Every structure is written in C-alpha cells, then in structure tokens.
Amino acid sequence: MKNENDTSVSWSENIIIADADHLDRVAFNLTVNFERMLNRRIPKADLARWIDCAALDGGVREGDHHNHVIFIHSKAKKAFDNFTPSDFEQEINGKAFRDNLGEFTLSAIPIEEKVGGERLLIDTVALICQQEGVRRVIVAADEDKEWNDLRHLLQKVDEEKRVTLLAMQPMPGGNFRQEILGYSLMSALGIRGDELK
C-alpha cells in the first residue's frame, strides 16, 4: 500500500523532450523543400512515426519500455501545423500509444508568458536528468536559441545517462550524443531514401 505522504514520482526510463514550435518549423521547411525537389505533395508528418525514430536515435531498442514524450509549445499555439495528430490538448496531451518499442505517454506543456520557452525546456531537461530511474534523455531543441544553455547543462549530467540531442546540424562539444533531426522528420513525412538518388 502506498503511503499517502509519499510524493515520489515514477519516471519513465526513456524521455523525449521536444521544442514543439521548432519541430513544427523544421517539418514545414522540409516539406516545402522536398515538394520542390521530388515534385510531389508531402503529407503532414506522422507524429507517432517521428517519436519512434527519435527514440531509436536515442538508443531505445525493441522491448517493453516505458517512454514519455514531452512537447513544450507556446501558449498561443494550440496545435501542430505540420503533424498529425496535431491538437495539443485534444489529441496529444494525456494520450498514449504502444508499439514494438513499448508504451509512449504524451504530454503537451504550454509556455506561460512569465517563463520563456528556452528556460522551460532547459529547466525540464535539468529536472529529468537528475532523476534516478531515467536512462535515456532525447532532446529536440532549437539550436539557435537553446544551444549554449543546453551544452552547459549537459556537461554536468551523470555519465550513466545516455543523452542524445537532435539538431539540424552537428553542434560542437558536450557530454552527449548527436543525431540529425532531419532524418527522423523525413521518415515521418514519408520521404524515402530511394527518392533522393
């Protein structure tokens, strides 16, 4: 029986934290560019597919894992423009799905006017990196706005945690792994490698 005074939180072993506004902008830019290049319409990105690709980039492998995905978005933005599902409150926040990588629980957190988006994302990453049960942290952040603070923060993270940053270009130095964000988004947008030859 759980003690009523116990306020401990059970953290998922794998956590993805994404700047949703940045993610949406990058998906839009890729859509515009690839529609021109491939001369075909690119559908909205499949959000679950992107989550799976991001998890794989962060080292999650097939199994019954507990995964949590946190989308941080501006309060004025109620939905993704370039993903499906899109509505933060109705279709994403509090929802979950299960596949061969385990269960993914989704959260959408709006940025209050008092707290800047960069600070909320940095504070969220800092909090999660301190939790004992968390093994992998995957971060999709806006490298133009959040990079210096993230790099500084991640220099202090416990070596036992696997931290992976998803960015559009390689970023210099730090105690983390890196993957190119564009690859996971291309997969979610249905862009196949054989189309690019």
Side-chain angles (χ1 to χ4, degrees):
M1 187 167 160
K2 187 172 178 178
N3 181 337
E4 288 179 15
N5 297 324
D6 183 4
T7 58
S8 64
V9 174
S10 177
W11 292 89
S12 298
E13 59 185 310
N14 307 308
I15 299 185
I16 300 171
I17 306 159
D19 177 332
D21 297 357
H22 173 65
L23 202 61
D24 212 22
R25 279 191 305 274
V26 175
F28 172 76
N29 290 336
L30 288 174
T31 298
V32 169
N33 289 328
F34 279 105
E35 282 185 341
R36 286 185 198 135
M37 185 186 307
L38 302 176
N39 199 24
R40 72 169 175 87
R41 185 183 167 281
I42 303 292
K44 287 188 176 187
D46 180 327
L47 188 61
R49 177 74 182 145
W50 178 78
I51 290 168
D52 272 352
C53 291
L56 289 166
D57 282 348
V60 179
R61 296 298 175 253
E62 196 167 314
D64 190 24
H65 302 289
H66 297 281
N67 312 289
H68 193 162
V69 186
I70 301 168
F71 293 105
I72 297 174
H73 64 92
S74 59
K75 193 169 186 176
K77 194 169 174 87
K78 303 297 184 192
F80 280 117
D81 295 323
N82 301 287
F83 285 86
T84 183
S86 60
D87 188 292
F88 291 123
E89 202 49 47
Q90 300 298 317
E91 299 175 310
I92 296 172
N93 192 41
K95 304 296 191 245
F97 68 91
R98 176 176 286 281
D99 62 19
N100 63 330
L101 300 179
E103 183 172 67
F104 290 86
T105 304
L106 312 181
S107 297
I109 302 172
I111 301 162
E112 297 296 329
E113 279 106 38
K114 292 178 259 179
V115 181
E118 304 91 29
R119 195 71 253 158
L120 181 57
L121 187 132
I122 300 300
D123 291 346
T124 302
V125 172
L127 174 69
I128 287 168
C129 284
Q130 293 171 6
Q131 306 310 312
E132 284 185 22
V134 177
R135 294 180 54 216
R136 292 180 188 86
V137 180
I138 301 132
V139 183
D142 186 337
E143 54 264 33
D144 292 332
K145 292 192 302 187
E146 298 149 343
W147 180 251
N148 286 330
D149 287 340
L150 262 179
R151 184 177 56 184
H152 181 70
L153 166 68
L154 295 177
Q155 288 172 348
K156 304 171 195 167
V157 172
D158 184 340
E159 293 283 336
E160 292 179 14
K161 297 217 186 306
R162 177 180 169 142
V163 178
T164 305
L165 290 186
L166 306 177
M168 286 304 288
Q169 59 195 8
M171 303 305 287
N175 182 23
F176 49 82
R177 294 171 168 84
Q178 292 186 57
E179 294 293 337
I180 300 297
L181 174 62
Y183 296 150
S184 56
L185 283 172
M186 285 167 59
S187 177
L189 288 163
I191 299 165
R192 301 182 318 274
D194 63 345
E195 292 183 282
L196 306 177
K197 293 177 183 174

